[in-house]
Amino acid sequence: MILCLYAQACIKLACQDKIIVYHVTFVGVFAACAHSGLVFEDRRYWSSIIESGIEPSIEHYGCMVDLLCRACLVNEAYNFVQTMPFSPDPVIWRTLLIGCLKNKMLHIGEIVAEQLLALEPLNIENYILLSNFYASVSQWEKMSYVRKMIKEKSMKEVPGCTSIEIDGFVMGDWYHPEAKEIRQKGVYLCEHSERLAIAYGLLKTKAPVPIRIVKDMRVCSDCHEVTKIISKIYEREIIVRDRVWFHKFVNGTCSCRDYL
C-alpha cells in the first residue's frame, strides 16, 4: 500500500510540474496498484496513459491482467486480453491461469492452458501449474494425465530453495550440522522449504528478533496462510522475500493484504 501511494504521488507531481512521464513509470504504478488491490485507481491510470499519448506495451497489459486476476475479475481479465493489439506472451497466459486456479474457473482455465502450452511446451512450471489447477477443481483424472505428460517428456521439477539468516542455513544443503533433525521435521512440514526455514528460525531465535527468510520462488498460498498463523501463535515478526515481493507477517496478517 505504501509503495502504491508513493507511486501515485510521483505521477501527481509529474503532472503538476509538466514532467514527461515515460512508459516504465506507469509499469511501476500499475504493479504497485495490483499488489494493493486498487482496481479503480489502476483503471484511472490506464485512461491516463492513453490520454498522454503513450502506446501501452505488453508490460502494461500484463500488469492490468495481473491486477484484475488478483481482484478475482478473471472474466474481465480474459476479455481484456482478447482486445490486446498483439499476441499475449506466456507471462500473461500464466497470470490468467493462476487467476483461474484461485477462482476455480475450469472452462476459461483450459482455454488459457492450451494457449500457454502451445507457446512453452517444455516449461515444466506450466505443467505443474496446470496440474494444480485441475486439482483445485477436483479434476483428478486430468491432473493425473498432466503428471503423466511430465514423465513422458522427461521433465524434472527444480525444487525450491529458502535461506535464513542463521549460520548460513539453506534448505537443500544437507551438509548442515543439523541436517538430519531438519529433514525429520520436513516430514511434518510437507517438505516446503520456507516452512522448514521458519521452524529453524523459531528454534534458534527469540522475540523480538524478526525471522528473515529469502525464497527463490513465489510463495504459495498454503505457506502464506501457514506463516500468518505462525506469526500470530508465536507472536513473531516474519519477513519473507520471494521471487516477486516482500511479505511482512505480524500478528496473523501480511503486508501484502493477501494479494499474492
Side-chain angles (χ1 to χ4, degrees):
M1 177 63 77
I2 294 176
L3 286 175
C4 185
L5 294 174
Y6 178 75
Q8 292 183 74
C10 289
I11 291 290
K12 185 176 181 180
L13 289 173
C15 292
Q16 290 176 349
D17 297 336
K18 296 182 180 181
I19 299 173
I20 298 176
V21 179
Y22 296 97
H23 76 281
V24 69
T25 308
F26 280 103
V27 170
V29 172
F30 291 148
C33 288
H35 282 277
S36 301
L38 301 179
V39 178
F40 174 79
E41 288 79 358
D42 217 8
R43 285 173 173 159
R44 181 158 55 89
Y45 287 120
W46 184 265
S47 299
S48 297
I49 195 174
I50 301 297
E51 294 170 359
S52 66
I54 298 176
E55 184 176 347
S57 67
I58 195 166
E59 288 80 14
H60 295 130
Y61 278 96
C63 288
M64 280 297 293
V65 172
D66 185 34
L67 166 80
L68 294 172
C69 287
R70 289 175 186 272
C72 300
L73 301 172
V74 181
N75 278 313
E76 184 176 342
Y78 180 73
N79 293 332
F80 181 76
V81 169
Q82 306 306 306
T83 67
M84 291 174 56
F86 31 68
S87 299
D89 62 5
V91 174
I92 289 178
W93 288 124
R94 197 155 35 243
T95 301
L96 273 173
L97 186 53
I98 292 172
C100 291
L101 184 155
K102 289 183 177 179
N103 292 275
K104 303 183 186 303
M105 303 179 69
L106 178 60
H107 178 63
I108 294 180
E110 290 188 316
I111 295 174
V112 170
E114 182 179 356
Q115 297 293 329
L116 177 58
L117 294 182
L119 291 175
E120 290 186 340
L122 298 178
N123 186 344
I124 190 172
E125 182 181 349
N126 299 332
Y127 291 90
I128 293 173
L129 179 58
L130 180 57
S131 174
N132 292 339
F133 165 68
Y134 279 132
S136 72
V137 292
S138 301
Q139 295 289 316
W140 307 115
E141 290 186 4
K142 292 182 178 180
M143 184 199 77
S144 298
Y145 177 72
V146 174
R147 288 289 176 177
K148 183 180 178 181
M149 289 175 63
I150 293 175
K151 291 183 179 180
E152 291 177 347
K153 293 177 180 290
S154 299
M155 295 186 291
K156 294 185 178 181
E157 182 180 0
V158 178
C161 180
T162 302
S163 62
I164 182 170
E165 298 177 11
I166 302 174
D167 300 327
F169 165 63
V170 178
M171 173 58 184
D173 179 7
W174 301 118
Y175 293 102
H176 190 279
E178 296 174 277
K180 185 176 180 179
E181 179 184 351
I182 294 166
R183 184 67 178 180
Q184 289 173 344
K185 293 182 181 299
V187 175
Y188 305 102
L189 295 170
C190 302
E191 293 289 351
H192 285 231
S193 61
E194 57 265 53
R195 300 187 198 183
L196 286 170
I198 291 171
Y200 191 75
L202 290 172
L203 287 171
K204 298 297 181 179
T205 66
K206 302 293 182 182
V209 176
I211 297 173
R212 303 175 186 271
I213 67 172
V214 179
K215 182 175 175 61
D216 65 346
M217 300 175 68
R218 190 171 177 174
V219 64
C220 71
S221 57
D222 286 344
C223 286
H224 192 266
E225 288 299 314
V226 168
T227 307
K228 289 197 297 183
I229 294 171
I230 292 173
S231 71
K232 185 172 185 177
I233 292 176
Y234 291 93
E235 299 181 349
R236 297 295 299 271
E237 177 182 328
I238 303 172
I239 301 172
V240 180
R241 174 67 170 102
D242 68 7
R243 188 176 64 182
V244 179
W245 211 243
F246 275 99
H247 301 266
K248 182 179 181 179
F249 299 87
V250 178
N251 195 31
T253 62
C254 179
S255 58
C256 76
R257 298 168 62 211
D258 296 340
Y259 283 93
L260 300 180

